[in-house]
Amino acid sequence: MWMRASFVALSLLVAGCDDVFTAGGVATATPLFTSITAGDLRELERGESVLVELDGDYPVVFEFDGRRGALDFGRVEIATPEGRRLPLQVWAEALVSAHGTGFAEMAGGRFRLANDRAAASLGIAVSPGSQGCDDIDIVDIDGVVAVLFLADASC
């Protein structure tokens, strides 16, 4: 998985997407979107972890999905836009205390982490005449935008 993220980042650099981003931001550039499941984390070798890089200029979104098995936060490390690098569990402790969400809910649910607020909310279903099909909460901590899917609604 780490290799795939590195390849995508390298491809963007070679393609000159930095110019696209600085010329117009998320409105003109498609954010990189990666999904991470409990199965992805289980496939890692012993001692390996996933680095969620949120410290770059290009908009990125990582969606974590623990609905088919609890996510192991100990296998994930994040690099925040503010230049901090820490285990996801440590960052999530701040989220839990600020939002009141429990670790069990997060590990067995679905949430996104992004370095750009507009990119974080892209693709979230909205139905006409209602607030949306997904019951969400958006929280900013350490420059990281977290989209918490409180309950998956059907449209």
Side-chain angles (χ1 to χ4, degrees), residues 74-139:
R75 309 289 305 263
V76 181
E77 186 176 22
I78 66 171
T80 70
E82 296 179 351
R84 295 177 61 200
R85 191 168 168 171
L86 63 160
L88 177 59
Q89 187 161 349
V90 171
W91 181 87
E93 286 174 8
L95 178 65
V96 166
S97 65
H99 187 270
T101 303
F103 280 116
E105 293 171 55
M106 288 183 65
R110 185 169 67 119
F111 63 95
R112 290 180 180 178
L113 299 181
N115 62 351
D116 182 277
R117 192 172 186 85
S121 60
L122 285 177
I124 296 175
V126 176
S127 65
S130 72
Q131 288 186 313
C133 294
D134 294 308
D135 186 12
I136 64 166
D137 192 11
I138 300 178
V139 181

Side-chain angles (χ1 to χ4, degrees), residues 9-116:
L10 180 61
S11 297
L12 284 172
L13 184 61
V14 171
C17 287
D18 246 3
D19 295 336
V20 173
F21 176 65
T22 56
V26 176
T28 58
T30 302
L32 292 176
F33 188 92
T34 301
S35 179
I36 299 171
T37 66
D40 295 328
L41 298 175
R42 279 192 301 269
E43 289 178 8
L44 295 173
E45 298 292 325
R46 183 179 209 154
E48 279 187 315
S49 63
V50 172
L51 176 61
V52 174
E53 295 182 88
L54 299 169
D55 57 349
D57 291 332
Y58 198 85
V60 293
V61 178
F62 291 85
E63 184 164 302
F64 293 85
D65 190 346
R67 294 175 292 180
R68 293 189 181 179
L71 298 162
D72 181 358
F73 290 156
R75 309 289 305 263
V76 181
E77 186 176 22
I78 66 171
T80 70
E82 296 179 351
R84 295 177 61 200
R85 191 168 168 171
L86 63 160
L88 177 59
Q89 187 161 349
V90 171
W91 181 87
E93 286 174 8
L95 178 65
V96 166
S97 65
H99 187 270
T101 303
F103 280 116
E105 293 171 55
M106 288 183 65
R110 185 169 67 119
F111 63 95
R112 290 180 180 178
L113 299 181
N115 62 351
D116 182 277

